[in-house]
Amino acid sequence: MKLTPYWLDTATPSGDHRQNPVPERADIAIVGAGFTGLSAALEAAKNGASVVVLDQHTVGWGASGRNGGMATTGLAIGLGKAIKRYGRDRAIEMFAEYNRAIDTIEDLIKENSIDCDFERSGKLSLAMNAKQVDGMRKTQQILADAADYSVRVVGKEDLHTEIGSDFYAGGMVDPLGAGMHVGKFAHGLAGAGTRAGVTICEDAAVTELADRAGGGHTVHTSRGTTQVDQVLIATSGYTGSVTPWLRRRTIPVGSFIVVTEPLPQETVDRILPNRRMAADSKMLTYYFRITPDNRLLFGGRARFALSSPDSDLKSAEILKDAMSTVFPYLSSTRIDYTWGGLVDLSMDRMVHAGQHKGIHYSLGYSGHGVQMAAYMGKQIALSMVGKPSRNAWENLPYRAVPGHFGPPWFLPFIGGGAKIIDRFNS
Ligand SMILES: Cc1cc2nc3c(=O)[nH]c(=O)nc-3n(C[C@H](O)[C@H](O)[C@H](O)COP(=O)(O)OP(=O)(O)OC[C@H]3O[C@@H](n4cnc5c(N)ncnc54)[C@H](O)[C@@H]3O)c2cc1C
């Protein structure tokens, strides 16, 4: 079993950027070579800016190369909760933003000829009980009435047309959700950026940001210093001590994945006949999909711990059991890959993008960043180069996590609460 992400193991790297010298000067420095940073870099370079992307590891090393590869519709908090918090019109506008984000990915792929198995196979949300199915019917009605948007609710009796499992009580299909190979997408964005003139510096940890007298910033890295006019922080769940204001607002939660051996076509057709991107409604969600080469990718917040080789292996055991509970006929299927990564939760589970003390940032994707990170990267870059841009999350209060100044000591407590709620709902 490999402990590397399947996506990075099966993608051709865009190049070796570990030796690229850190330039003495650039218009824009971007910290983080994930979807946010890479799509921002591409957009800024296409608009004439000189851009350097700095990553402490390699392209796609963070959550962007470690996720489920699901570019799906819908807010992290769900539409019902968003309406209660923000009112119907704003909530619908926020919901629509996720669809725009998927369209943006599709456009980026086409415009830059990125071969990454993008497919609009649809999203399947799965309910644990009849009450959750009723909630899906209400969501369906609101979407139809307020946004003229069509989703389909599938009752228990028909659920086998969508999933080969008796574990769930019903589901909801949104046909606009998409899946892709995120390793190929990350490297495709990096390649397009490089062709547009972006300098990518891997193995270049940013160690300090300092304001320059007269404007601009000095960015200190483990491989040299660069003077820039503007900085974008695109570090999601890996946000650290260089930006303490952002770290206080980011809850890094470990999420873990196992990927099986390649499966026979008839097994794939039984698991998810329509190859949708599936996720259930538990607090400790299971999410799963078929990979382009017919493996089952099965993920979840198996443990409330951070990712490490030891933690990833323990999580693999838990996830294999979970996979066998949902799909009993896979109990003797071999696991070829396991890994973990950090999800960047915000207190309100909403995206936060803006400026703090002259430094730009976009993070808080709360587990829904495959589409949103690439989209917001582009939007933030447009605003940085002085072009019209969209930011549906502007002016949302960005609250700090009380008592959070370093490693997230509070995760086991959140995990315990979530497990109790799931037991209650099952
Ligand atoms: C296991 C898992 C499953 C997920 N599944 C899904 C899914 O199916 N669908 C979905 O929509 N979202 C999913 N997500 C979330 C999604 O992957 C992220 O929201 C998104 O990739 C964030 O992209 P990013 O570019 O903002 O950050 P990242 O891709 O995390 O990149 C941040 C980068 O910053 C670098 N960095 C940090 N500090 C420094 C520093 N000081 N100096 C230099 N570099 C630094 C890191 O090395 C890292 O490469 C998942 C996340 C995980 C972990």
Side-chain angles (χ1 to χ4, degrees), residues 253-305:
V253 176
S255 188
F256 302 87
I257 288 179
V258 290
V259 170
T260 67
E261 62 188 307
L263 301 169
Q265 188 62 48
E266 61 270 21
T267 309
V268 166
D269 292 344
R270 186 175 174 196
I271 297 172
L272 286 167
N274 306 308
R275 298 180 86 101
R276 303 215 197 269
M277 305 293 121
D280 69 25
S281 313
K282 290 202 277 43
M283 290 288 285
L284 301 180
T285 311
Y286 297 153
Y287 49 92
F288 40 91
R289 58 163 294 178
I290 303 297
T291 64
D293 61 351
N294 277 356
R295 302 163 186 268
L296 177 66
L297 175 154
F298 192 98
R301 212 164 290 153
R303 313 174 63 234
F304 264 73

Side-chain angles (χ1 to χ4, degrees), residues 13-234:
S14 50
D16 185 346
H17 312 284
R18 288 172 298 177
Q19 309 298 331
N20 291 346
V22 173
E24 283 177 18
R25 217 214 87 74
D27 295 333
I28 296 176
I30 295 175
V31 189
F35 297 153
T36 305
L38 293 168
S39 108
L42 176 61
E43 189 62 35
K46 283 189 170 174
N47 279 281
S50 60
V51 184
V52 57
V53 177
L54 304 157
D55 199 291
Q56 60 192 358
H57 296 290
T58 44
V59 165
W61 176 92
S64 298
R66 294 169 183 270
N67 56 64
M70 306 182 185
T72 50
T73 49
L75 295 148
I77 59 169
L79 186 61
K81 198 178 248 181
I83 289 174
K84 278 189 203 137
R85 261 198 220 162
Y86 306 111
R88 180 175 285 231
D89 288 352
R90 184 136 195 235
I92 292 284
E93 180 51 28
M94 288 169 166
F95 180 91
E97 207 65 356
Y98 279 83
N99 286 354
R100 273 189 210 107
I102 305 172
D103 292 345
T104 297
I105 290 187
E106 198 168 16
D107 291 346
L108 277 170
I109 290 168
K110 279 191 198 135
E111 284 161 17
N112 298 290
S113 309
I114 301 174
D115 176 12
C116 63
D117 307 297
F118 178 89
E119 204 185 335
R120 293 261 186 184
S121 40
K123 167 185 171 182
L124 174 64
S125 307
L126 291 158
M128 300 307 298
N129 52 40
K131 194 172 163 218
Q132 289 182 353
V133 180
D134 286 347
M136 287 174 171
R137 291 195 204 286
K138 280 186 197 135
T139 300
Q140 180 186 33
Q141 197 59 52
I142 294 168
L143 285 171
D145 295 347
D148 196 20
Y149 188 84
S150 180
V151 294
R152 187 164 56 83
V153 175
V154 187
K156 178 89 178 162
E157 59 292 354
D158 295 323
L159 200 58
H160 272 88
T161 59
E162 289 292 344
I163 179 170
S165 170
D166 294 325
F167 191 68
Y168 296 107
M172 187 169 82
V173 174
D174 185 330
L176 292 185
M180 65 174 167
H181 187 306
V182 286
K184 293 183 187 175
F185 181 60
H187 282 292
L189 279 180
T194 308
R195 288 193 295 281
V198 173
T199 303
I200 299 175
C201 298
E202 297 176 325
D203 278 353
V206 172
T207 51
E208 191 189 344
L209 297 173
D211 290 343
R212 261 193 354 223
H217 311 271
T218 302
V219 183
H220 298 275
T221 84
S222 52
R223 295 213 281 112
T225 297
T226 183
Q227 312 290 337
V228 297
D229 299 332
Q230 301 187 79
V231 175
L232 169 62
I233 303 296

Side-chain angles (χ1 to χ4, degrees), residues 360-417:
H360 298 261
Y361 60 84
S362 182
L363 59 167
Y365 304 114
S366 300
H368 291 236
V370 163
Q371 62 299 70
M372 196 43 77
Y375 177 69
M376 286 311 297
K378 177 171 173 158
Q379 299 306 321
I380 293 283
L382 284 170
S383 75
M384 289 171 88
V385 299
K387 292 265 174 81
S389 61
R390 297 180 68 92
N391 183 354
W393 330 105
E394 208 165 9
N395 304 327
L396 289 183
Y398 198 0
R399 283 189 293 140
V401 185
H404 176 31
F405 298 98
W409 53 269
F410 43 82
L411 287 186
F413 300 101
I414 303 178

